[in-house]
Amino acid sequence: MNDRFTSRIVSWALALLFFFSSTNGFSVGRNKPDPTLEPPIWPMWAHNHWVWEHDGSQESAMSYVQDYLNHGIPVGAVNIDYPWATAVGDFTPDPELYPDMDEYIQTFHSMGVKVFLWATCMVNEDAPNFQEGKDKGYYVSNGRTIKWWNGKGAFLDFTNPEAVTWWHKQLDVVLDMGIDGWKVDGADPYIMLMIPAIGYGGKLLSWKTYREAFYRDFFEYTREKLGNDRVISVRPVDDLPFRVGLPIVFSTRDINFAGWVGDEDNDWGGLRAALNDLMSSSRFNFVSYGSDIGGFRSDGNKYKDVFIRWAQLGAFCPVMENGGGGEHRPWMFDEETLNIYRKFVILHEELIPYIYSQAAYSYELVKPTMRPQPGTYEYLLGDDLLVAPFFEEGNERTVVFPKGDWIYLFDETKTYTGGIKKLSFSLDEFPVFIRKGAIIPMNVTNDETGFGTELSKNYTTVAIYPQQGEKKFGLYEEKEKGAMIAYSKDKDSLNISCTPTKRSLLFRVYGEPTPQMVESDFGIEFAKASSMAELVTLPTGYFTDGGTTWIAVKNVTAGAAIEVHY
């Protein structure tokens, strides 16, 4: 039996062992209670669009982000990937690559861009702090080293309190600069090759025990040091390191709110692999993760259709991030790619109030935000958005619609009722459908996607697609109690309400007749505006444009109750 075959057998065995021994399992949740509206334990910025380059420097990363901004593409965070330090396990910025890391981080912050730094659990032999850690007994198995994918080094023993204290002093070098999070990469599976791995007090360490201590320490210490608006980015589920096609859980759901599903190729096979891991992550009830748009590994070619379809998928994941090897800058493909990419980033940013709220509610229910449906790679994003990503070449897609009516997001005049439909989508559109009856809160600041204009920017737009009966939506907020938005509809009227919130609200009611009158529940009639420009000058008012009625309420600090009469 050759070594390669033996390795494959061992890989399968290990993958099966760790898959079936996981204590987590898929849950569709319980009967839905009302949302608690309590502040989520992660920050909203984790859902913003991130970018990163694989091998960079202080100068190149700053230019990279600035180029996105100059092309009108919002950037919420940047990941400073390996290599940025003098060595793996030493947290001193490389003076040649990042000579002014502290100032550099502050410059990004002044631009409204958060900063991640790459890290692992390893201290490589060439790190200046390696020998100190070994002499003091801070590594697993007395400092035995192992060759892993990024060098040769030892595992920090996260079960040893003195080792952890020492490790924190290493982290403090950059935590004191005010970073916003870590991309914590997956060196931890290599601990299985120690056979055995011995931790503090001579105890045997399993991979499960080690990885949980490792990832949790990065999460908890960073937040203890800098506050709860910090996150770590970790694989939720991936088939790494063995590439055997079985999902392997890396982190736990209570510390990973900015995950990514590992390193994929930049072709259609890579996109399908990402989809497999995205869907698998839902089986373990993770609520916020995405994938490297365009893939991490590059074969040297640019696949325009793959890149665009992957970017569109990313826009409808809780985390939208773009980076890796090869070319990831959309303007380097062509103008069409740039325009499509910009449109979908803006749409993702608009949907963040919906995504953040649905992720928070899903976390409470112990269910995933991305919920796989019958059909190939279809899922619900939260309760009310049906997404059917492309996974192969071509513009046709068979969509399996759940029961009910579904409105095409990119052309609201198109509605589909439950069943199987084969549809065609141009490259600048994507199979996403809104459940009839939905409430979708959005941050709209321009006219790029058609859900509003620049006049919308001082409001939270609340898109409502009414149907007979009642509907409510929990709008979650950072660091404070959220608000409950609701409506009830009968034949002749639509009643809309919202509990107190600091937000100004612009209700976008689609598909209803022109109102005869709009009033508060106290009988105070709303002014009828002749245009959107006039509407946003009023404290309360409404404006009808075709099949859409806009209702503005600037001050909702005492709540709002609106009666629309037809």
Side-chain angles (χ1 to χ4, degrees), residues 370-414:
M370 298 174 69
R371 304 164 193 168
Q373 302 294 297
T376 309
Y377 296 128
E378 285 188 30
Y379 63 92
L380 285 174
L381 179 62
D383 291 331
D384 293 320
L385 292 180
L386 177 66
V387 186
F390 281 90
F391 55 91
E392 58 188 0
E393 188 175 2
N395 289 333
E396 289 191 337
R397 180 67 159 93
T398 299
V399 180
V400 180
F401 289 96
K403 183 180 178 181
D405 294 329
W406 295 88
I407 300 162
Y408 181 41
L409 184 145
F410 296 95
D411 183 351
E412 292 167 311
T413 65
K414 296 180 180 178

mmCIF file of all heavy atoms in Angstrom, residues 370-414:
data_model
loop_
_atom_site.group_PDB
_atom_site.id
_atom_site.type_symbol
_atom_site.label_atom_id
_atom_site.label_comp_id
_atom_site.label_asym_id
_atom_site.label_seq_id
_atom_site.Cartn_x
_atom_site.Cartn_y
_atom_site.Cartn_z
ATOM 1 N N MET A 370 -29.007 31.003 6.845
ATOM 2 C CA MET A 370 -29.137 30.428 5.504
ATOM 3 C C MET A 370 -29.749 29.035 5.664
ATOM 4 O O MET A 370 -29.131 28.145 6.249
ATOM 5 C CB MET A 370 -27.768 30.344 4.826
ATOM 6 C CG MET A 370 -27.104 31.698 4.621
ATOM 7 S SD MET A 370 -25.400 31.583 3.978
ATOM 8 C CE MET A 370 -25.697 30.970 2.302
ATOM 9 N N ARG A 371 -30.952 28.834 5.128
ATOM 10 C CA ARG A 371 -31.709 27.617 5.401
ATOM 11 C C ARG A 371 -31.943 26.838 4.108
ATOM 12 O O ARG A 371 -32.774 27.223 3.280
ATOM 13 C CB ARG A 371 -33.044 27.974 6.048
ATOM 14 C CG ARG A 371 -32.848 28.806 7.324
ATOM 15 C CD ARG A 371 -34.100 29.494 7.775
ATOM 16 N NE ARG A 371 -33.780 30.495 8.790
ATOM 17 C CZ ARG A 371 -34.631 31.417 9.212
ATOM 18 N NH1 ARG A 371 -35.851 31.476 8.693
ATOM 19 N NH2 ARG A 371 -34.263 32.292 10.124
ATOM 20 N N PRO A 372 -31.175 25.765 3.897
ATOM 21 C CA PRO A 372 -31.297 24.998 2.652
ATOM 22 C C PRO A 372 -32.726 24.528 2.400
ATOM 23 O O PRO A 372 -33.443 24.127 3.315
ATOM 24 C CB PRO A 372 -30.350 23.814 2.880
ATOM 25 C CG PRO A 372 -29.367 24.305 3.888
ATOM 26 C CD PRO A 372 -30.142 25.220 4.784
ATOM 27 N N GLN A 373 -33.113 24.586 1.118
ATOM 28 C CA GLN A 373 -34.442 24.177 0.680
ATOM 29 C C GLN A 373 -34.318 23.007 -0.294
ATOM 30 O O GLN A 373 -33.250 22.763 -0.860
ATOM 31 C CB GLN A 373 -35.140 25.342 -0.025
ATOM 32 C CG GLN A 373 -35.281 26.590 0.823
ATOM 33 C CD GLN A 373 -36.203 26.379 1.996
ATOM 34 O OE1 GLN A 373 -37.388 26.116 1.832
ATOM 35 N NE2 GLN A 373 -35.659 26.484 3.212
ATOM 36 N N PRO A 374 -35.396 22.262 -0.513
ATOM 37 C CA PRO A 374 -35.371 21.240 -1.563
ATOM 38 C C PRO A 374 -35.003 21.866 -2.905
ATOM 39 O O PRO A 374 -35.444 22.969 -3.236
ATOM 40 C CB PRO A 374 -36.805 20.714 -1.569
ATOM 41 C CG PRO A 374 -37.331 21.005 -0.204
ATOM 42 C CD PRO A 374 -36.679 22.305 0.195
ATOM 43 N N GLY A 375 -34.187 21.191 -3.663
ATOM 44 C CA GLY A 375 -33.681 21.762 -4.906
ATOM 45 C C GLY A 375 -32.178 21.958 -4.779
ATOM 46 O O GLY A 375 -31.609 21.916 -3.703
ATOM 47 N N THR A 376 -31.518 22.163 -5.896
ATOM 48 C CA THR A 376 -30.066 22.222 -5.917
ATOM 49 C C THR A 376 -29.559 23.549 -5.402
ATOM 50 O O THR A 376 -29.748 24.583 -6.040
ATOM 51 C CB THR A 376 -29.543 21.990 -7.350
ATOM 52 O OG1 THR A 376 -30.130 20.803 -7.868
ATOM 53 C CG2 THR A 376 -28.024 21.846 -7.341
ATOM 54 N N TYR A 377 -28.925 23.537 -4.246
ATOM 55 C CA TYR A 377 -28.278 24.718 -3.668
ATOM 56 C C TYR A 377 -29.243 25.889 -3.455
ATOM 57 O O TYR A 377 -28.831 27.037 -3.483
ATOM 58 C CB TYR A 377 -27.109 25.182 -4.534
ATOM 59 C CG TYR A 377 -25.973 24.201 -4.654
ATOM 60 C CD1 TYR A 377 -25.488 23.837 -5.909
ATOM 61 C CD2 TYR A 377 -25.372 23.664 -3.533
ATOM 62 C CE1 TYR A 377 -24.427 22.948 -6.030
ATOM 63 C CE2 TYR A 377 -24.311 22.763 -3.640
ATOM 64 C CZ TYR A 377 -23.845 22.414 -4.897
ATOM 65 O OH TYR A 377 -22.795 21.533 -5.014
ATOM 66 N N GLU A 378 -30.482 25.635 -3.217
ATOM 67 C CA GLU A 378 -31.412 26.717 -2.891
ATOM 68 C C GLU A 378 -31.459 26.912 -1.383
ATOM 69 O O GLU A 378 -31.339 25.964 -0.617
ATOM 70 C CB GLU A 378 -32.813 26.402 -3.397
ATOM 71 C CG GLU A 378 -32.981 26.554 -4.887
ATOM 72 C CD GLU A 378 -34.434 26.422 -5.320
ATOM 73 O OE1 GLU A 378 -35.332 26.773 -4.523
ATOM 74 O OE2 GLU A 378 -34.673 25.958 -6.450
ATOM 75 N N TYR A 379 -31.684 28.159 -0.960
ATOM 76 C CA TYR A 379 -31.817 28.406 0.467
ATOM 77 C C TYR A 379 -32.656 29.651 0.709
ATOM 78 O O TYR A 379 -32.792 30.516 -0.156
ATOM 79 C CB TYR A 379 -30.444 28.552 1.142
ATOM 80 C CG TYR A 379 -29.607 29.726 0.667
ATOM 81 C CD1 TYR A 379 -29.668 30.965 1.303
ATOM 82 C CD2 TYR A 379 -28.731 29.599 -0.419
ATOM 83 C CE1 TYR A 379 -28.891 32.043 0.881
ATOM 84 C CE2 TYR A 379 -27.953 30.661 -0.849
ATOM 85 C CZ TYR A 379 -28.040 31.881 -0.189
ATOM 86 O OH TYR A 379 -27.279 32.945 -0.620
ATOM 87 N N LEU A 380 -33.242 29.705 1.878
ATOM 88 C CA LEU A 380 -33.864 30.923 2.357
ATOM 89 C C LEU A 380 -32.818 31.701 3.139
ATOM 90 O O LEU A 380 -32.138 31.143 4.002
ATOM 91 C CB LEU A 380 -35.049 30.614 3.270
ATOM 92 C CG LEU A 380 -36.341 30.127 2.619
ATOM 93 C CD1 LEU A 380 -37.348 29.739 3.699
ATOM 94 C CD2 LEU A 380 -36.934 31.199 1.707
ATOM 95 N N LEU A 381 -32.684 32.983 2.847
ATOM 96 C CA LEU A 381 -31.876 33.873 3.661
ATOM 97 C C LEU A 381 -32.833 34.530 4.640
ATOM 98 O O LEU A 381 -33.596 35.423 4.288
ATOM 99 C CB LEU A 381 -31.170 34.911 2.797
ATOM 100 C CG LEU A 381 -30.305 35.934 3.541
ATOM 101 C CD1 LEU A 381 -29.165 35.251 4.288
ATOM 102 C CD2 LEU A 381 -29.746 36.977 2.576
ATOM 103 N N GLY A 382 -32.807 34.054 5.884
ATOM 104 C CA GLY A 382 -33.835 34.466 6.824
ATOM 105 C C GLY A 382 -35.175 33.878 6.436
ATOM 106 O O GLY A 382 -35.258 32.863 5.732
ATOM 107 N N ASP A 383 -36.222 34.525 6.867
ATOM 108 C CA ASP A 383 -37.566 33.981 6.642
ATOM 109 C C ASP A 383 -38.104 34.235 5.248
ATOM 110 O O ASP A 383 -38.923 33.467 4.753
ATOM 111 C CB ASP A 383 -38.552 34.598 7.651
ATOM 112 C CG ASP A 383 -38.310 34.130 9.074
ATOM 113 O OD1 ASP A 383 -37.819 33.011 9.265
ATOM 114 O OD2 ASP A 383 -38.621 34.903 9.999
ATOM 115 N N ASP A 384 -37.647 35.316 4.587
ATOM 116 C CA ASP A 384 -38.439 35.819 3.465
ATOM 117 C C ASP A 384 -37.698 36.073 2.159
ATOM 118 O O ASP A 384 -38.283 36.637 1.238
ATOM 119 C CB ASP A 384 -39.145 37.107 3.902
ATOM 120 C CG ASP A 384 -40.201 36.856 4.962
ATOM 121 O OD1 ASP A 384 -40.916 35.848 4.854
ATOM 122 O OD2 ASP A 384 -40.286 37.660 5.913
ATOM 123 N N LEU A 385 -36.433 35.690 2.049
ATOM 124 C CA LEU A 385 -35.713 35.813 0.774
ATOM 125 C C LEU A 385 -35.298 34.423 0.303
ATOM 126 O O LEU A 385 -34.562 33.711 0.991
ATOM 127 C CB LEU A 385 -34.473 36.703 0.921
ATOM 128 C CG LEU A 385 -34.709 38.187 1.197
ATOM 129 C CD1 LEU A 385 -33.381 38.925 1.303
ATOM 130 C CD2 LEU A 385 -35.581 38.827 0.116
ATOM 131 N N LEU A 386 -35.776 34.040 -0.867
ATOM 132 C CA LEU A 386 -35.411 32.765 -1.479
ATOM 133 C C LEU A 386 -34.278 33.011 -2.466
ATOM 134 O O LEU A 386 -34.401 33.846 -3.365
ATOM 135 C CB LEU A 386 -36.613 32.155 -2.207
ATOM 136 C CG LEU A 386 -36.348 30.845 -2.959
ATOM 137 C CD1 LEU A 386 -36.016 29.709 -2.002
ATOM 138 C CD2 LEU A 386 -37.551 30.483 -3.839
ATOM 139 N N VAL A 387 -33.168 32.286 -2.303
ATOM 140 C CA VAL A 387 -31.979 32.469 -3.136
ATOM 141 C C VAL A 387 -31.663 31.157 -3.841
ATOM 142 O O VAL A 387 -31.589 30.103 -3.208
ATOM 143 C CB VAL A 387 -30.767 32.918 -2.280
ATOM 144 C CG1 VAL A 387 -29.566 33.241 -3.165
ATOM 145 C CG2 VAL A 387 -31.130 34.118 -1.404
ATOM 146 N N ALA A 388 -31.472 31.235 -5.158
ATOM 147 C CA ALA A 388 -31.147 30.048 -5.958
ATOM 148 C C ALA A 388 -29.862 30.323 -6.738
ATOM 149 O O ALA A 388 -29.914 30.686 -7.920
ATOM 150 C CB ALA A 388 -32.305 29.703 -6.902
ATOM 151 N N PRO A 389 -28.684 30.181 -6.129
ATOM 152 C CA PRO A 389 -27.427 30.592 -6.767
ATOM 153 C C PRO A 389 -27.106 29.776 -8.022
ATOM 154 O O PRO A 389 -27.492 28.608 -8.145
ATOM 155 C CB PRO A 389 -26.376 30.324 -5.686
ATOM 156 C CG PRO A 389 -27.139 30.159 -4.414
ATOM 157 C CD PRO A 389 -28.474 29.629 -4.801
ATOM 158 N N PHE A 390 -26.377 30.412 -8.923
ATOM 159 C CA PHE A 390 -25.821 29.684 -10.060
ATOM 160 C C PHE A 390 -24.632 28.856 -9.588
ATOM 161 O O PHE A 390 -23.832 29.309 -8.763
ATOM 162 C CB PHE A 390 -25.379 30.645 -11.157
ATOM 163 C CG PHE A 390 -26.513 31.144 -12.001
ATOM 164 C CD1 PHE A 390 -27.195 32.304 -11.660
ATOM 165 C CD2 PHE A 390 -26.917 30.444 -13.136
ATOM 166 C CE1 PHE A 390 -28.255 32.766 -12.424
ATOM 167 C CE2 PHE A 390 -27.981 30.898 -13.915
ATOM 168 C CZ PHE A 390 -28.651 32.059 -13.556
ATOM 169 N N PHE A 391 -24.519 27.639 -10.131
ATOM 170 C CA PHE A 391 -23.414 26.765 -9.748
ATOM 171 C C PHE A 391 -22.748 26.120 -10.962
ATOM 172 O O PHE A 391 -21.875 25.274 -10.835
ATOM 173 C CB PHE A 391 -23.898 25.676 -8.778
ATOM 174 C CG PHE A 391 -25.052 24.850 -9.303
ATOM 175 C CD1 PHE A 391 -24.834 23.690 -10.017
ATOM 176 C CD2 PHE A 391 -26.353 25.261 -9.075
ATOM 177 C CE1 PHE A 391 -25.885 22.939 -10.496
ATOM 178 C CE2 PHE A 391 -27.427 24.522 -9.558
ATOM 179 C CZ PHE A 391 -27.192 23.351 -10.268
ATOM 180 N N GLU A 392 -23.177 26.523 -12.148
ATOM 181 C CA GLU A 392 -22.570 26.021 -13.370
ATOM 182 C C GLU A 392 -22.783 27.060 -14.473
ATOM 183 O O GLU A 392 -23.563 27.997 -14.332
ATOM 184 C CB GLU A 392 -23.186 24.675 -13.774
ATOM 185 C CG GLU A 392 -24.685 24.724 -13.988
ATOM 186 C CD GLU A 392 -25.280 23.348 -14.185
ATOM 187 O OE1 GLU A 392 -24.520 22.356 -14.156
ATOM 188 O OE2 GLU A 392 -26.514 23.256 -14.381
ATOM 189 N N GLU A 393 -22.094 26.869 -15.578
ATOM 190 C CA GLU A 393 -22.138 27.831 -16.681
ATOM 191 C C GLU A 393 -23.539 27.941 -17.267
ATOM 192 O O GLU A 393 -24.297 26.973 -17.315
ATOM 193 C CB GLU A 393 -21.136 27.395 -17.750
ATOM 194 C CG GLU A 393 -20.938 28.392 -18.871
ATOM 195 C CD GLU A 393 -19.841 27.961 -19.828
ATOM 196 O OE1 GLU A 393 -19.271 26.872 -19.628
ATOM 197 O OE2 GLU A 393 -19.566 28.717 -20.778
ATOM 198 N N GLY A 394 -23.894 29.138 -17.723
ATOM 199 C CA GLY A 394 -25.186 29.361 -18.365
ATOM 200 C C GLY A 394 -26.044 30.318 -17.578
ATOM 201 O O GLY A 394 -25.783 30.607 -16.405
ATOM 202 N N ASN A 395 -27.105 30.806 -18.237
ATOM 203 C CA ASN A 395 -27.990 31.792 -17.620
ATOM 204 C C ASN A 395 -29.346 31.230 -17.235
ATOM 205 O O ASN A 395 -30.209 31.968 -16.761
ATOM 206 C CB ASN A 395 -28.190 32.989 -18.559
ATOM 207 C CG ASN A 395 -26.935 33.833 -18.666
ATOM 208 O OD1 ASN A 395 -26.119 33.873 -17.753
ATOM 209 N ND2 ASN A 395 -26.774 34.497 -19.808
ATOM 210 N N GLU A 396 -29.551 29.926 -17.445
ATOM 211 C CA GLU A 396 -30.818 29.320 -17.049
ATOM 212 C C GLU A 396 -30.681 28.665 -15.679
ATOM 213 O O GLU A 396 -29.624 28.131 -15.326
ATOM 214 C CB GLU A 396 -31.272 28.287 -18.082
ATOM 215 C CG GLU A 396 -31.742 28.914 -19.391
ATOM 216 C CD GLU A 396 -32.428 27.911 -20.299
ATOM 217 O OE1 GLU A 396 -32.175 26.701 -20.144
ATOM 218 O OE2 GLU A 396 -33.220 28.340 -21.156
ATOM 219 N N ARG A 397 -31.753 28.736 -14.900
ATOM 220 C CA ARG A 397 -31.750 28.180 -13.548
ATOM 221 C C ARG A 397 -33.124 27.614 -13.253
ATOM 222 O O ARG A 397 -34.151 28.290 -13.424
ATOM 223 C CB ARG A 397 -31.395 29.269 -12.535
ATOM 224 C CG ARG A 397 -31.345 28.825 -11.065
ATOM 225 C CD ARG A 397 -30.197 27.873 -10.831
ATOM 226 N NE ARG A 397 -29.794 27.790 -9.438
ATOM 227 C CZ ARG A 397 -30.246 26.904 -8.544
ATOM 228 N NH1 ARG A 397 -31.193 26.030 -8.895
ATOM 229 N NH2 ARG A 397 -29.764 26.883 -7.319
ATOM 230 N N THR A 398 -33.174 26.358 -12.826
ATOM 231 C CA THR A 398 -34.422 25.767 -12.370
ATOM 232 C C THR A 398 -34.610 26.122 -10.908
ATOM 233 O O THR A 398 -33.730 25.874 -10.080
ATOM 234 C CB THR A 398 -34.409 24.237 -12.547
ATOM 235 O OG1 THR A 398 -34.264 23.934 -13.945
ATOM 236 C CG2 THR A 398 -35.692 23.613 -12.028
ATOM 237 N N VAL A 399 -35.751 26.727 -10.607
ATOM 238 C CA VAL A 399 -36.028 27.185 -9.245
ATOM 239 C C VAL A 399 -37.215 26.405 -8.697
ATOM 240 O O VAL A 399 -38.245 26.272 -9.361
ATOM 241 C CB VAL A 399 -36.340 28.699 -9.220
ATOM 242 C CG1 VAL A 399 -36.628 29.165 -7.794
ATOM 243 C CG2 VAL A 399 -35.187 29.490 -9.829
ATOM 244 N N VAL A 400 -37.050 25.884 -7.490
ATOM 245 C CA VAL A 400 -38.144 25.211 -6.793
ATOM 246 C C VAL A 400 -38.731 26.203 -5.791
ATOM 247 O O VAL A 400 -38.095 26.538 -4.792
ATOM 248 C CB VAL A 400 -37.658 23.946 -6.069
ATOM 249 C CG1 VAL A 400 -38.825 23.256 -5.357
ATOM 250 C CG2 VAL A 400 -36.986 22.983 -7.053
ATOM 251 N N PHE A 401 -39.932 26.678 -6.068
ATOM 252 C CA PHE A 401 -40.559 27.679 -5.217
ATOM 253 C C PHE A 401 -41.349 27.006 -4.096
ATOM 254 O O PHE A 401 -42.166 26.114 -4.355
ATOM 255 C CB PHE A 401 -41.506 28.564 -6.030
ATOM 256 C CG PHE A 401 -40.805 29.502 -6.957
ATOM 257 C CD1 PHE A 401 -40.616 29.173 -8.297
ATOM 258 C CD2 PHE A 401 -40.306 30.710 -6.494
ATOM 259 C CE1 PHE A 401 -39.959 30.038 -9.159
ATOM 260 C CE2 PHE A 401 -39.654 31.583 -7.342
ATOM 261 C CZ PHE A 401 -39.469 31.249 -8.681
ATOM 262 N N PRO A 402 -41.129 27.404 -2.866
ATOM 263 C CA PRO A 402 -41.977 26.911 -1.779
ATOM 264 C C PRO A 402 -43.409 27.391 -1.954
ATOM 265 O O PRO A 402 -43.709 28.237 -2.794
ATOM 266 C CB PRO A 402 -41.337 27.536 -0.528
ATOM 267 C CG PRO A 402 -39.956 27.932 -0.936
ATOM 268 C CD PRO A 402 -40.056 28.292 -2.393
ATOM 269 N N LYS A 403 -44.270 26.877 -1.124
ATOM 270 C CA LYS A 403 -45.679 27.256 -1.157
ATOM 271 C C LYS A 403 -45.825 28.764 -0.968
ATOM 272 O O LYS A 403 -45.094 29.388 -0.209
ATOM 273 C CB LYS A 403 -46.425 26.520 -0.047
ATOM 274 C CG LYS A 403 -47.924 26.781 -0.015
ATOM 275 C CD LYS A 403 -48.578 25.997 1.115
ATOM 276 C CE LYS A 403 -50.070 26.291 1.186
ATOM 277 N NZ LYS A 403 -50.726 25.541 2.296
ATOM 278 N N GLY A 404 -46.761 29.353 -1.659
ATOM 279 C CA GLY A 404 -47.007 30.783 -1.545
ATOM 280 C C GLY A 404 -46.600 31.527 -2.793
ATOM 281 O O GLY A 404 -46.226 30.933 -3.808
ATOM 282 N N ASP A 405 -46.675 32.849 -2.735
ATOM 283 C CA ASP A 405 -46.313 33.706 -3.857
ATOM 284 C C ASP A 405 -44.944 34.322 -3.592
ATOM 285 O O ASP A 405 -44.638 34.756 -2.473
ATOM 286 C CB ASP A 405 -47.352 34.810 -4.046
ATOM 287 C CG ASP A 405 -48.708 34.268 -4.474
ATOM 288 O OD1 ASP A 405 -48.742 33.231 -5.176
ATOM 289 O OD2 ASP A 405 -49.734 34.858 -4.091
ATOM 290 N N TRP A 406 -44.137 34.410 -4.670
ATOM 291 C CA TRP A 406 -42.768 34.904 -4.565
ATOM 292 C C TRP A 406 -42.528 35.974 -5.617
ATOM 293 O O TRP A 406 -42.787 35.770 -6.796
ATOM 294 C CB TRP A 406 -41.772 33.750 -4.730
ATOM 295 C CG TRP A 406 -41.904 32.767 -3.610
ATOM 296 C CD1 TRP A 406 -42.738 31.702 -3.540
ATOM 297 C CD2 TRP A 406 -41.201 32.818 -2.367
ATOM 298 N NE1 TRP A 406 -42.611 31.060 -2.338
ATOM 299 C CE2 TRP A 406 -41.664 31.725 -1.591
ATOM 300 C CE3 TRP A 406 -40.232 33.662 -1.830
ATOM 301 C CZ2 TRP A 406 -41.179 31.464 -0.309
ATOM 302 C CZ3 TRP A 406 -39.746 33.411 -0.554
ATOM 303 C CH2 TRP A 406 -40.220 32.325 0.187
ATOM 304 N N ILE A 407 -42.048 37.116 -5.175
ATOM 305 C CA ILE A 407 -41.860 38.294 -6.034
ATOM 306 C C ILE A 407 -40.391 38.385 -6.417
ATOM 307 O O ILE A 407 -39.506 38.347 -5.545
ATOM 308 C CB ILE A 407 -42.295 39.564 -5.281
ATOM 309 C CG1 ILE A 407 -43.779 39.464 -4.895
ATOM 310 C CG2 ILE A 407 -42.036 40.810 -6.119
ATOM 311 C CD1 ILE A 407 -44.193 40.420 -3.802
ATOM 312 N N TYR A 408 -40.129 38.511 -7.706
ATOM 313 C CA TYR A 408 -38.742 38.588 -8.171
ATOM 314 C C TYR A 408 -38.129 39.908 -7.724
ATOM 315 O O TYR A 408 -38.660 40.994 -8.023
ATOM 316 C CB TYR A 408 -38.708 38.451 -9.700
ATOM 317 C CG TYR A 408 -37.327 38.484 -10.299
ATOM 318 C CD1 TYR A 408 -36.265 37.823 -9.703
ATOM 319 C CD2 TYR A 408 -37.087 39.182 -11.485
ATOM 320 C CE1 TYR A 408 -34.992 37.851 -10.265
ATOM 321 C CE2 TYR A 408 -35.829 39.210 -12.055
ATOM 322 C CZ TYR A 408 -34.781 38.546 -11.438
ATOM 323 O OH TYR A 408 -33.518 38.583 -11.995
ATOM 324 N N LEU A 409 -37.023 39.844 -7.030
ATOM 325 C CA LEU A 409 -36.424 41.029 -6.433
ATOM 326 C C LEU A 409 -36.013 42.066 -7.477
ATOM 327 O O LEU A 409 -36.102 43.268 -7.228
ATOM 328 C CB LEU A 409 -35.227 40.621 -5.568
ATOM 329 C CG LEU A 409 -34.530 41.726 -4.771
ATOM 330 C CD1 LEU A 409 -34.030 41.190 -3.431
ATOM 331 C CD2 LEU A 409 -33.335 42.299 -5.537
ATOM 332 N N PHE A 410 -35.577 41.614 -8.667
ATOM 333 C CA PHE A 410 -35.063 42.544 -9.670
ATOM 334 C C PHE A 410 -36.130 43.015 -10.653
ATOM 335 O O PHE A 410 -35.848 43.826 -11.533
ATOM 336 C CB PHE A 410 -33.885 41.904 -10.415
ATOM 337 C CG PHE A 410 -32.713 41.639 -9.505
ATOM 338 C CD1 PHE A 410 -32.548 40.387 -8.923
ATOM 339 C CD2 PHE A 410 -31.814 42.645 -9.197
ATOM 340 C CE1 PHE A 410 -31.485 40.143 -8.068
ATOM 341 C CE2 PHE A 410 -30.749 42.404 -8.343
ATOM 342 C CZ PHE A 410 -30.584 41.154 -7.769
ATOM 343 N N ASP A 411 -37.332 42.513 -10.515
ATOM 344 C CA ASP A 411 -38.471 42.993 -11.310
ATOM 345 C C ASP A 411 -39.733 42.608 -10.555
ATOM 346 O O ASP A 411 -40.258 41.499 -10.702
ATOM 347 C CB ASP A 411 -38.468 42.384 -12.712
ATOM 348 C CG ASP A 411 -39.597 42.908 -13.587
ATOM 349 O OD1 ASP A 411 -40.494 43.610 -13.055
ATOM 350 O OD2 ASP A 411 -39.609 42.611 -14.792
ATOM 351 N N GLU A 412 -40.221 43.542 -9.725
ATOM 352 C CA GLU A 412 -41.320 43.206 -8.817
ATOM 353 C C GLU A 412 -42.637 42.950 -9.533
ATOM 354 O O GLU A 412 -43.610 42.520 -8.901
ATOM 355 C CB GLU A 412 -41.471 44.329 -7.784
ATOM 356 C CG GLU A 412 -40.279 44.406 -6.825
ATOM 357 C CD GLU A 412 -40.273 45.686 -6.009
ATOM 358 O OE1 GLU A 412 -40.420 46.779 -6.605
ATOM 359 O OE2 GLU A 412 -40.121 45.595 -4.779
ATOM 360 N N THR A 413 -42.686 43.185 -10.836
ATOM 361 C CA THR A 413 -43.904 42.865 -11.580
ATOM 362 C C THR A 413 -44.017 41.361 -11.834
ATOM 363 O O THR A 413 -45.078 40.887 -12.228
ATOM 364 C CB THR A 413 -43.943 43.610 -12.930
ATOM 365 O OG1 THR A 413 -42.867 43.148 -13.767
ATOM 366 C CG2 THR A 413 -43.817 45.110 -12.722
ATOM 367 N N LYS A 414 -42.926 40.612 -11.602
ATOM 368 C CA LYS A 414 -42.915 39.169 -11.850
ATOM 369 C C LYS A 414 -43.141 38.428 -10.537
ATOM 370 O O LYS A 414 -42.376 38.595 -9.584
ATOM 371 C CB LYS A 414 -41.592 38.736 -12.481
ATOM 372 C CG LYS A 414 -41.348 39.324 -13.865
ATOM 373 C CD LYS A 414 -40.011 38.858 -14.430
ATOM 374 C CE LYS A 414 -39.762 39.429 -15.814
ATOM 375 N NZ LYS A 414 -38.433 39.015 -16.363
#
